[in-house]
Structures are given as structure tokens and as C-alpha cells.
Amino acid sequence: MQTVRLLFAISTPCFRDLETDMVFELLREPLSSGYGDALISLAECKQQLSIESSDTEWDTLIPILRDASIGFIEDLCETRLGPAEDLEWRSDEFPSTETLAIHLGVYPVTSITAISWVDSSGDAVTGDLADFRLVRRSQLLPSVGGDGWPSDAGGEISITFDAGYAAGDAPVALLHAVRLNLGHLFNHREAVAAGDAPVEVPLGVMSLCSRY
């Protein structure tokens, strides 16, 4: 669980790290086939919505709303509820000192797979993963006793990594938040219900997500 919220969304997918004042991009691929169903099956969605399992009228719409709810909760809580590969963090600079960490914007990070940048001469450089260490499952620092952050970086820094909870390990509270938001989207399938005041995300969703 993250203990400090340090990221401010400037615009999707751009963020500002409030600790280092670094601006970065977090590139998110569309949910892979089967990702949503592995977290909450169609049968579980129907149970949440009080729809009989034999009623197939909504079998196309429900997975769309479920996946939208998963994306919403993941972005809100800066997490991935299931395994996700080849996420990419991009920025034009490394932190100014070796004691400042790069916050990758996702929890939990399971492995760093590649680091690259363009040096001051404009040449592409592939970093040695041994020169960096992952801490708190979401932050990157130079290795202890190493040379610190690369001093020759001229920009186009890219960090590729895998993240997400293992199958069956996603927090129950966040999965239930997905279910509640699914119900909200299903019951309000228009942007604003005719004759009603605009309906916001239910308080229960925000309460469940507040710890994360």
C-alpha cells in the first residue's frame, strides 16, 4: 500500500512528481484480453448487478463497463490490480541528486526491464539495470555505492517495467470499489439522467479507495 501521494495529474498521461518537481509521462496500454475477466468475472458482475445468470441481454455491455471501472480505480489509486507488462515511464531528466527517487507512478512494480536515455551528444544509451535499485515497490534509486543518476543524460529517458498484483492478490477493497463503480455506470448509462441533477461517483467508491 502506498503511504504518500506525490503525483499530480497535469493531463493524461502527464504527471508532476511533487517531491522532485519532475514532469513525466506514464504510457498505459489498453487492458489485455482477459485482464478484466481474471479480476471480476462476468458471472460476478451479474451477481453485483442483481442480474440472473441466464439473462444475456447485457453480456456485451457489462464487460465494457467493468473494464472502464477497473481503469478508473487503477488510475485513481495509481495501481494495477492484475499483472501488467511493458509499462513505460518517460521524462526529459533524471532527479537532481542521487537521494531523490523516481516515482514510477504505479504500485506495485514487480521488475524493471529496461532503462535508456539520450546523452548530451545525442547518442542513445542503454543503462545497466545493476546500476539501479527498486525500493518500496514503486520507486527507483541508483544502486548503493554506485555513481548516482547518469550525469550525461540529455533527455528522452525511458524506463520500462512490469507491475501489478499477482493473480488473486489484489486488495479486496479495490475490487469491491470496481464492483460499486460498475453498478454506478450500469445504472447511469447516460452522461446525465434526464430531469435529475448530475450524479457523481458514489461516496462508497472514494471511501474504499482512500487508503490507497
Side-chain angles (χ1 to χ4, degrees):
M1 180 178 66
Q2 299 185 78
T3 57
V4 181
R5 296 295 294 270
L6 294 170
L7 307 180
F8 175 76
I10 299 172
S11 63
T12 304
C14 293
F15 301 84
R16 182 182 298 279
D17 185 326
L18 300 182
E19 182 176 320
T20 62
D21 201 37
M22 292 173 57
V23 174
F24 67 91
E25 289 183 282
L26 182 60
L27 304 186
R28 172 184 177 143
E29 296 295 327
L31 296 182
S32 59
S33 176
Y35 182 90
D37 201 54
L39 292 172
I40 305 175
S41 68
L42 176 59
E44 291 172 311
C45 291
K46 285 184 171 183
Q47 184 180 40
Q48 176 69 28
L49 299 172
S50 298
I51 295 174
E52 294 292 336
S53 59
S54 58
D55 184 349
T56 60
E57 179 181 0
W58 307 103
D59 282 12
T60 298
L61 178 63
I62 289 174
I64 293 173
L65 299 181
R66 176 202 59 204
D67 290 355
S69 295
I70 289 171
F72 172 73
I73 298 301
E74 288 187 337
D75 287 347
L76 180 66
C77 298
E78 297 164 11
T79 190
R80 292 295 180 269
L81 297 174
E85 298 179 344
D86 297 330
L87 303 179
E88 185 177 7
W89 180 100
R90 289 182 182 176
S91 184
D92 289 327
E93 58 183 337
F94 283 109
S96 55
T97 69
E98 65 181 61
T99 58
L100 290 176
I102 287 178
H103 295 265
L104 294 170
V106 178
Y107 181 93
V109 175
T110 54
S111 66
I112 305 297
T113 56
I115 301 176
S116 64
W117 62 89
V118 172
D119 66 19
S120 54
S121 299
D123 296 324
V125 178
T126 299
D128 185 344
L129 296 182
D131 292 336
F132 306 92
R133 57 192 172 103
L134 183 66
V135 296
R136 298 178 183 173
R137 296 205 289 176
S138 64
Q139 303 174 24
L140 195 68
L141 280 167
S143 292
V144 176
D147 296 327
W149 294 113
S151 59
D152 64 340
E156 298 185 34
I157 299 162
S158 172
I159 302 172
T160 305
F161 60 98
D162 299 336
Y165 291 95
D169 287 347
V172 173
L174 295 188
L175 292 177
H176 191 56
V178 171
R179 291 184 177 93
L180 290 183
N181 198 64
L182 166 64
H184 174 72
L185 294 180
F186 185 80
N187 291 319
H188 301 90
R189 294 189 289 278
E190 304 295 336
V192 178
D196 293 336
V199 179
E200 296 183 354
V201 174
L203 179 61
V205 171
M206 303 308 293
S207 178
L208 287 168
C209 293
S210 62
R211 295 175 52 207
Y212 299 88

